[in-house]
Amino acid sequence: MASLEYLLTVLPSLPAYLGDKASVEDAYKTIKAEDNAKLNFLIDILSAEDEIVKCGLQYFVLQNKSYEAELPASLPDSFTNTFYSYSKKNEAEWMTAAYEAWFNMIVETGKSTGSKLVQEWAKWEYSLRINLMFDRLKRAGIEFDEASLTPEFMAFGCDYDTAPLVEAYRKANEPMKAEKALDEARLDFIRSLAINYSFTTDELVAYILELRIYARYARLSPELGRKILQEVTAL
């Protein structure tokens, strides 16, 4: 098994700009070649979001009721039990529960490994996403109780105010620029936590998180960006 210093130097370079091609799969392949259980587990928990998206698309959007999702055996029951309940819930209930369980799994992993970066990123990212949801519900005139929708791992609040990002996103009239602004803020936040050339697991996690953002943005089309923006800003 190579050192993290070596691994971080042989991984594909991060793209220079949002929109440039990024291959998460190539990075995962390089990391998994190290046959390190700890690093493989980190990949499994971070890429579990991809399984949530895939399952939501297949089972709910495409109505493929024969779809059978499969998660890595390394993931804890606290997440997998919620994830595999997709056939017993409606789409909104399942997606909300699955993402909450995913973020909770990441926070707990951060606690068990002593990684402040993992914990703080999860809380900041969840804060951004839930505030986007709250804004959409308010604009739609739907009453809701914020406390009941706030998971336990966020019970003590978040030291980061994502409300200005949500406000700017809602006021944007160009969907791709709106998505780009959010992703740039995500990158800035991750970089504020990471220490370059520390050759630590946190630096590797920061690299993976950044690469996933670049890859996601590169896959966005103007049409998809417009649909996302319309959903968030719809009255």
Side-chain angles (χ1 to χ4, degrees), residues 70-201:
E70 186 174 355
L71 294 173
S74 62
L75 299 181
D77 292 344
S78 58
F79 173 73
T80 58
N81 289 342
T82 300
F83 179 90
Y84 285 127
S85 67
Y86 60 85
S87 63
K88 302 173 184 177
K89 296 180 179 179
N90 64 45
E91 182 179 5
E93 291 175 335
W94 180 77
M95 292 291 284
T96 299
Y99 270 109
E100 182 178 320
W102 180 62
F103 276 106
N104 184 66
M105 174 175 62
I106 294 174
V107 170
E108 290 303 313
T109 299
K111 289 179 180 178
S112 65
T113 60
S115 172
K116 182 180 179 181
L117 184 147
V118 170
Q119 296 178 67
E120 294 306 306
W121 169 79
K123 291 180 180 181
W124 185 90
E125 180 67 25
Y126 192 87
S127 172
L128 175 61
R129 296 192 192 191
I130 200 170
N131 279 329
L132 283 167
M133 182 183 74
F134 288 165
D135 182 74
R136 182 183 177 187
L137 292 174
K138 289 175 183 176
R139 289 176 60 79
I142 299 174
E143 295 185 1
F144 62 96
D145 178 19
E146 287 193 16
S148 66
L149 295 175
T150 301
E152 186 177 345
F153 68 85
M154 294 288 287
F156 296 103
C158 178
D159 295 332
Y160 311 102
D161 183 12
T162 57
L165 288 174
V166 174
E167 181 69 12
Y169 185 87
R170 180 169 57 81
K171 290 182 177 179
N173 54 16
E174 294 187 39
M176 293 301 290
K177 284 187 176 181
E179 287 297 316
K180 186 176 183 179
L182 283 189
D183 283 345
E184 287 175 338
R186 288 179 165 112
L187 291 170
D188 287 343
F189 180 76
I190 294 168
R191 290 166 183 167
S192 74
L193 295 177
I195 301 175
N196 291 332
Y197 307 112
S198 60
F199 304 113
T200 60
T201 302

Side-chain angles (χ1 to χ4, degrees), residues 58-68 86-87 89:
Q58 288 291 329
Y59 193 80
F60 293 106
V61 178
L62 300 180
Q63 291 292 299
N64 180 7
K65 298 307 180 181
S66 63
Y67 176 74
E68 294 185 3
Y86 60 85
S87 63
K89 296 180 179 179

Side-chain angles (χ1 to χ4, degrees), residues 203-232:
E203 186 178 359
L204 178 62
V205 170
Y207 167 86
I208 295 172
L209 291 173
E210 286 192 52
L211 189 61
R212 288 176 60 81
I213 291 170
Y214 281 111
R216 172 192 171 276
Y217 187 82
R219 291 193 300 267
L220 281 179
S221 64
E223 292 75 20
L224 180 57
R226 189 174 299 108
K227 179 180 179 182
I228 293 172
L229 185 62
Q230 288 174 343
E231 289 179 351
V232 172

Side-chain angles (χ1 to χ4, degrees), residues 19-85:
D20 290 350
K21 184 178 180 181
S23 176
V24 175
E25 292 73 20
D26 287 346
Y28 286 171
K29 183 178 180 180
T30 300
I31 296 171
K32 285 184 175 291
E34 297 301 307
D35 197 25
N36 182 309
K38 180 180 179 181
L39 300 184
N40 288 345
F41 178 64
L42 287 172
I43 290 177
D44 287 345
I45 65 170
L46 293 176
S47 60
E49 180 182 24
D50 302 331
E51 297 306 316
I52 295 175
V53 173
K54 185 190 301 182
C55 185
L57 173 64
Q58 288 291 329
Y59 193 80
F60 293 106
V61 178
L62 300 180
Q63 291 292 299
N64 180 7
K65 298 307 180 181
S66 63
Y67 176 74
E68 294 185 3
E70 186 174 355
L71 294 173
S74 62
L75 299 181
D77 292 344
S78 58
F79 173 73
T80 58
N81 289 342
T82 300
F83 179 90
Y84 285 127
S85 67

